[in-house]
Amino acid sequence: YYDKGWALRFGEMLMPTVANGIKLDWSLPRAHAENYEFELHPSLVRERATVLRCLSFVNHANMGSYREAIDAYLAGAGPIPDVTATRQQGRVKYGFGFNAEQELTADLRAYGRFGWNDGRNESFVYTEVDQAVSFGADLKGSQWHRKLDKMGVAMLVNAISGDHREYLALGGEGFLLGDGALNYGREKIIESYYNLYAWHGLSLGADVQRIWNPGYNRDRGPVWVGSLRLHVEGLLSFWQHDAR
């Protein structure tokens, strides 16, 4: 629902049959996810756009419990804790998020985000993060006569819950994390990028990240991660117009 100064969104989603899997469970009574978002457009800075978003999710799926996996391991159930061995249909993972965006000038925007989930049951969709804080800004290229270009920088701090942390420290593995030991530390990232508008609807992007404590492990990193991106938008309509 969209109104003049606010919007409300809701989505009912399918869940994968296994953590981060591509096969979906098509039985909604058995596994499903609810996503909620409330968006507000207050006038905090005169003639500058402000966007505030509050988000929430509730996932119901065949998830394992970190605490049960730890207890089973300590009782001698296996050589390492195994969260997949404790999976139970109908378990719940829930979380919240907040996002704020503020236009500072015609070309400069800043943002801040915070996210949290309960971290009791296994990470199931997308990535293994239980708490996240980030902030950053982007700048259009008008000042160097490239108004459709954009550059940005962001800082991120990620964390995991106590049960998740203990599970990995005892040698447990998730779908992304786990190397037999964990000297825990918050994962810290600085990221910067530049998007170059090349041609009608075609953009090229270069991105670089510096990551401290990758995988929440003080014994790992820091590391550099670079990437290149290609974005295509509206080329079909351009070709159709050109043909006419």
Side-chain angles (χ1 to χ4, degrees):
Y1 178 83
Y2 290 83
D3 210 319
K4 182 178 180 180
W6 60 277
L8 182 65
R9 304 179 182 92
F10 169 78
E12 185 72 25
M13 313 298 180
L14 298 174
M15 292 292 288
T17 56
V18 297
N20 216 36
I22 61 173
K23 183 180 179 182
L24 299 178
D25 189 334
W26 289 86
S27 174
L28 280 176
R30 184 171 56 207
H32 52 96
E34 289 79 44
N35 289 261
Y36 310 85
E37 181 180 76
F38 177 69
E39 180 178 299
L40 191 63
H41 294 255
S43 181
L44 300 182
V45 179
R46 186 177 180 181
E47 297 182 354
R48 298 298 176 201
T50 303
V51 182
L52 305 176
R53 297 185 183 93
C54 296
L55 308 99
S56 179
F57 75 88
V58 183
N59 293 342
H60 310 256
N62 185 29
M63 289 182 275
S65 163
Y66 291 122
R67 177 47 52 189
E68 288 187 13
I70 293 168
D71 291 343
Y73 164 74
L74 295 176
I80 61 172
D82 182 5
V83 72
T84 65
T86 68
R87 283 176 175 164
Q88 181 177 320
Q89 196 72 53
R91 280 210 167 103
V92 174
K93 178 183 283 287
Y94 65 90
F96 306 93
F98 177 76
N99 179 84
E101 298 175 15
Q102 178 62 58
E103 188 179 62
L104 301 176
T105 70
D107 297 324
L108 179 64
R109 295 184 306 171
Y111 84 91
R113 292 176 187 156
F114 171 76
W116 174 91
N117 72 69
D118 63 307
R120 293 180 301 146
N121 296 324
E122 67 176 309
S123 298
F124 212 74
V125 184
Y126 180 57
T127 192
E128 294 194 54
V129 177
D130 298 321
Q131 300 99 36
V133 177
S134 67
F135 58 91
D138 63 23
L139 178 67
K140 294 179 182 178
S142 303
Q143 295 183 25
W144 54 95
H145 311 292
R146 297 282 305 177
K147 65 179 181 179
L148 297 179
D149 288 7
K150 185 181 291 185
M151 63 183 300
V153 63
M155 298 184 65
L156 306 86
V157 179
N158 298 322
I160 52 178
S161 68
D163 284 352
H164 196 169
R165 190 183 313 170
E166 185 179 355
Y167 172 79
L168 294 172
L170 292 171
E173 297 181 351
F175 63 79
L176 286 176
L177 298 178
D179 57 6
L182 182 70
N183 180 15
Y184 179 75
R186 290 176 179 265
E187 188 177 66
K188 302 171 185 178
I189 305 171
I190 295 179
E191 179 178 9
S192 61
Y193 71 88
Y194 189 94
N195 284 345
L196 174 71
Y197 186 82
W199 186 65
H200 298 279
L202 181 66
S203 296
L204 304 173
D207 181 285
V208 63
Q209 300 180 41
R210 181 68 165 173
I211 306 175
W212 289 265
N213 307 332
Y216 311 101
N217 199 330
R218 294 180 184 271
D219 296 331
R220 306 287 179 258
V223 296
W224 289 99
V225 178
S227 64
L228 297 174
R229 293 191 295 263
L230 172 66
H231 180 83
V232 180
E233 181 178 335
L235 280 180
L236 181 60
S237 61
F238 168 74
W239 286 328
Q240 290 174 338
H241 177 80
D242 191 56
R244 288 196 294 268

